Amino acid sequence: MSETTHQDTGRTGLGGASGLFAIRLATGLVQGLALYLLYLAADKNVWPETQPTVFGALALAAGYGPVVVLAGAGRIKPAALVLWTAVATLVLALLGAHDVARQAVETFRQAPFLSFPVLAFGAAALFIAHHLIVPAIRERRWIVDYTEYFDVAWKAGVQLALSLGFTGAFWVLLHLGASLFKMIGLGFLQDILGEAWFSIPVTVLIFATAVQLTDVRDGLIRGVRTVALMLLSWLLLVITVLVGGFLAALPFTGLDGLWETRSATALVLSAAAALIVLINTAYQDGRPDNVPPVVLKYGVRVASVLIAPLVILALWGLGLRIGQHGLTPDRIIAAACALVGAIYGAGYLLAAAKPGGWMKPLERTNVVAAVLSVLVILALFSPLADPARMSVKDQIARLQRGAVSARDFDYDFLRFESGKVGAAALETLTRSGDAETARLARAAKARTYRSGDTPKARRDRAAAVRLQAVSGQTIPTSFQTQIESQADVLFGCSVASPCTVRTLDLNGDGREDLLVAMARTLLAFEQNGDDGLWRKVGQYQAACSRNAEALDGALSTGVTTAPAALPDLIVGGQKLQATPEIRCDDPGSR
């Protein structure tokens, strides 16, 4: 069945091009309004922002759900489009809800946010699923001819690229025009461009318009696709030579250099992905009239053979890292990508080796791998195979069986990178029967950010910190045992220049706080009454440079608190703190 026939069938009852434009325009308007309302809710801290899980669900559904309508309108019948849109939107909402629900509350910097992986892989899953389902709906079969998959998917890819480019160009022109008006003293346009009520709906609306414009000129899109495929197919020869040379050199160079990069899996999987995409630009839909020149035909066969060893290398490197350091969410996602890559590697190797019907098994491999990709993504970003849960379970098991010592265990992974399940595991470790495990877990819990250091590097930095109490006082033992968690802010306290510490009740709660003098700053620490953890709660900066030099010595002679010159203000439900004006005039000049 031809593309024209498909479009005629799908557009029944939609009123032709004008009807499609109205549907896409309305979809863009609704999506723009929904996204703006979500932005407004986050900015004003009102529902649904106050319900993070609901907010995450609505955000992902509103961001990606309407795209199904934009891409499906005119291609399948309205009833089928409504049903498919509803299913896709529901799945997206569930993925968004789970992504936010699994995150630790304190990781929300402002509004509840969706993580980058769920945004990226969610978009990929939606694109793949849409272009598996739309041809099946049109043909009323579960599996359709490969030419249909190819035609729909690659045409949509070109439309997407052109629509995004059109939207970007539109904003470049708007900013150019705003700059011109600004030069003559008219800044109203620049002000409008910075307003969310304008920028969010207009961006979505322009994208919807671009989709319609690229859909009307079907022949033009096909022509652009043909040229793009032709150009990209010749790049296959370049990447094939490079990857072939890389694999041929490995027996002579060894694998140590590859593993030392600590990104070997990502690099080789990226190379395999590039080969897969470029192989398909040369193979296209497999029809005899699309067979490439002889040099490209041989290039496709060679490139298809190279995918398998790349995937094996990726799995090997990933296995080594997991064996040494256990599972992390990134490694689980990489393993999932390698699993899909293994399907491609095996299928393409079979296609290259099988005589007759040039590369024909490639078609079935692409369909199987596409379905597997969608299923894997849905599993990874749902409770079925949550990478954070699996990683925390594995890391705790390694600690319990002694595969990693308490001193070398990465407590910061639980604290900062594994959401609620990691926070719960870290809380459990703070009550561990092993004193060192409990102490290090409490120190990690007290940290406010991950430095990126290894446990050994943190220990070394903490060991280099030197503190001295003022005369007549002692540094609390509980603070000393938590030095590792404060080493990042006490970096200036060294053997050559130890920092002076004074205990003082700063906030009048009847408990002793700490002041640590370092360079031109006094750091204030407060002990939490519930868990006994010390946390930095503020700092005092010397107003004038000539006074800063005496801070350390002056702390030893005594400190008193003084009432604030200006009180805190409550404005619109927000607490505002005054910043007094500081004058550093020379007293001798008065």
Side-chain angles (χ1 to χ4, degrees):
M1 187 178 292
S2 68
E3 176 69 18
T4 302
T5 305
H6 286 168
Q7 289 184 351
D8 291 341
T9 302
R11 289 176 182 172
T12 301
L14 294 180
S18 60
L20 278 176
F21 181 66
I23 290 173
R24 286 179 171 137
L25 189 66
T27 301
L29 287 171
V30 171
Q31 184 184 24
L33 178 61
L35 292 176
Y36 172 66
L37 290 177
L38 288 172
Y39 170 85
L40 198 62
D43 188 51
K44 302 297 184 182
N45 193 32
V46 298
W47 191 92
E49 191 272 343
T50 54
Q51 298 291 326
T53 302
V54 176
F55 188 93
L58 293 177
L60 195 61
Y64 290 160
V67 178
V68 176
V69 179
L70 297 179
R75 290 175 172 79
I76 55 179
K77 292 183 177 180
L81 178 60
V82 170
L83 180 60
W84 164 227
T85 302
V87 171
T89 303
L90 176 61
V91 172
L92 289 167
L94 293 175
L95 293 180
H98 171 70
D99 185 60
V100 172
R102 68 180 180 80
Q103 298 178 44
V105 174
E106 62 185 36
T107 61
F108 295 141
R109 288 179 281 269
Q110 289 181 354
F113 63 96
L114 295 166
S115 63
F116 175 76
V118 79
L119 292 171
F121 283 95
L126 182 62
F127 183 90
I128 297 170
H130 182 80
H131 296 100
L132 288 172
I133 288 174
V134 167
I137 292 175
R138 295 197 313 196
E139 294 285 345
R140 297 183 179 182
R141 291 186 293 155
W142 286 105
I143 303 296
V144 303
D145 294 338
Y146 184 74
T147 54
E148 296 297 320
Y149 290 127
F150 172 84
D151 187 68
V152 171
W154 280 92
K155 178 188 173 186
V158 172
Q159 280 188 282
L160 177 63
L162 292 176
S163 298
L164 290 174
F166 180 84
T167 305
F170 173 82
W171 274 102
V172 169
L173 294 177
L174 277 187
H175 280 287
L176 176 60
S179 298
L180 292 176
F181 277 95
K182 183 78 172 179
M183 286 194 302
I184 58 175
L186 299 176
F188 71 93
L189 183 54
Q190 196 167 63
D191 294 337
I192 290 175
L193 296 185
E195 295 290 339
W197 61 262
F198 177 83
S199 59
I200 294 176
V202 165
T203 299
V204 177
L205 195 59
I206 291 301
F207 178 79
T209 302
V211 172
Q212 174 64 19
L213 293 175
T214 55
D215 197 43
V216 171
R217 303 297 299 273
D218 186 70
L220 179 61
I221 295 300
R222 293 180 184 279
V224 172
R225 184 183 68 182
T226 300
V227 173
L229 290 174
M230 184 270 293
L231 292 175
L232 290 172
S233 65
W234 287 100
L235 291 178
L236 174 65
L237 300 179
V238 177
I239 190 65
T240 300
V241 170
L242 293 175
V243 171
F246 163 75
L247 293 173
L250 283 181
F252 304 98
T253 62
L255 297 174
D256 291 343
L258 186 63
W259 305 147
E260 287 173 1
T261 64
R262 298 193 175 186
S263 57
T265 299
L267 286 172
V268 294
L269 284 180
S270 297
L275 284 172
I276 293 168
V277 172
L278 294 177
I279 286 170
N280 280 278
T281 63
Y283 183 79
Q284 296 190 29
D285 57 7
R287 292 185 302 179
D289 55 339
N290 284 329
V291 174
V294 174
V295 64
L296 274 181
K297 289 183 66 175
Y298 283 107
V300 166
R301 287 190 182 275
V302 174
S304 298
V305 173
L306 298 179
I307 296 173
L310 286 178
V311 174
I312 291 172
L313 275 177
L315 289 170
W316 187 359
L318 190 60
L320 290 176
R321 295 294 291 175
I322 292 174
Q324 293 170 344
H325 306 291
L327 292 176
T328 64
D330 287 345
R331 289 173 195 147
I332 291 175
I333 292 175
C337 294
L339 171 64
V340 176
I343 299 299
Y344 278 111
Y348 281 40
L349 183 61
L350 174 64
K354 188 175 181 179
W358 180 66
M359 295 297 294
K360 197 67 177 176
L362 174 151
E363 298 178 0
R364 179 167 296 181
T365 299
N366 283 347
V367 176
V368 171
V371 173
L372 179 63
S373 297
V374 174
L375 295 177
V376 166
I377 291 172
L378 293 179
L380 285 176
F381 297 99
S382 71
L384 292 176
D386 183 4
R389 188 188 71 247
M390 296 170 63
S391 299
V392 169
K393 183 178 179 180
D394 178 71
Q395 294 292 345
I396 295 297
R398 283 167 50 82
L399 177 64
Q400 291 175 342
R401 68 173 182 265
V404 58
S405 68
R407 286 171 58 82
D408 293 327
F409 184 74
D410 191 358
Y411 300 91
D412 280 358
F413 166 72
L414 302 181
R415 174 73 174 84
F416 299 105
E417 298 180 16
S418 50
K420 288 180 180 178
V421 65
L426 182 63
E427 181 64 33
T428 300
L429 290 181
T430 63
R431 300 187 298 271
S432 171
D434 180 75
E436 186 174 26
T437 298
R439 178 180 64 81
L440 293 173
R442 287 194 295 269
K445 185 179 176 181
R447 282 191 282 274
T448 57
Y449 67 95
R450 178 164 187 160
S451 64
D453 292 334
T454 63
K456 182 179 183 303
R458 287 195 298 271
R459 292 198 300 270
D460 292 343
R461 190 168 63 254
V465 173
R466 291 293 182 272
L467 303 173
Q468 60 183 17
V470 301
S471 178
Q473 293 187 351
T474 59
I475 302 174
T477 303
S478 56
F479 186 78
Q480 291 278 27
T481 59
Q482 295 174 33
I483 286 295
E484 185 178 315
S485 65
Q486 310 296 349
D488 292 325
V489 295
L490 298 176
F491 59 88
C493 306
S494 62
V495 175
S497 180
C499 295
T500 302
V501 180
R502 171 176 282 276
T503 59
L504 182 70
D505 184 3
L506 293 172
N507 50 19
D509 61 357
R511 294 184 302 184
E512 294 294 331
D513 305 309
L514 292 182
L515 287 176
V516 179
M518 54 181 298
R520 300 181 177 182
T521 304
L522 293 180
L523 303 181
F525 292 88
E526 179 183 65
Q527 187 177 27
N528 188 297
D530 296 328
D531 55 20
L533 297 176
W534 288 90
R535 295 179 176 86
K536 178 187 169 188
V537 292
Q539 64 185 43
Y540 299 88
Q541 194 79 28
C544 308
S545 58
R546 64 172 180 275
N547 297 331
E549 301 171 359
L551 270 183
D552 187 66
L555 190 63
S556 301
T557 62
V559 177
T560 59
T561 60
L566 294 173
D568 294 342
L569 301 178
I570 305 297
V571 180
Q574 300 183 63
K575 185 177 181 180
L576 307 180
Q577 293 182 321
T579 303
E581 187 70 21
I582 303 298
R583 297 184 180 276
C584 294
D585 300 331
D586 185 350
S589 64
R590 297 180 180 177

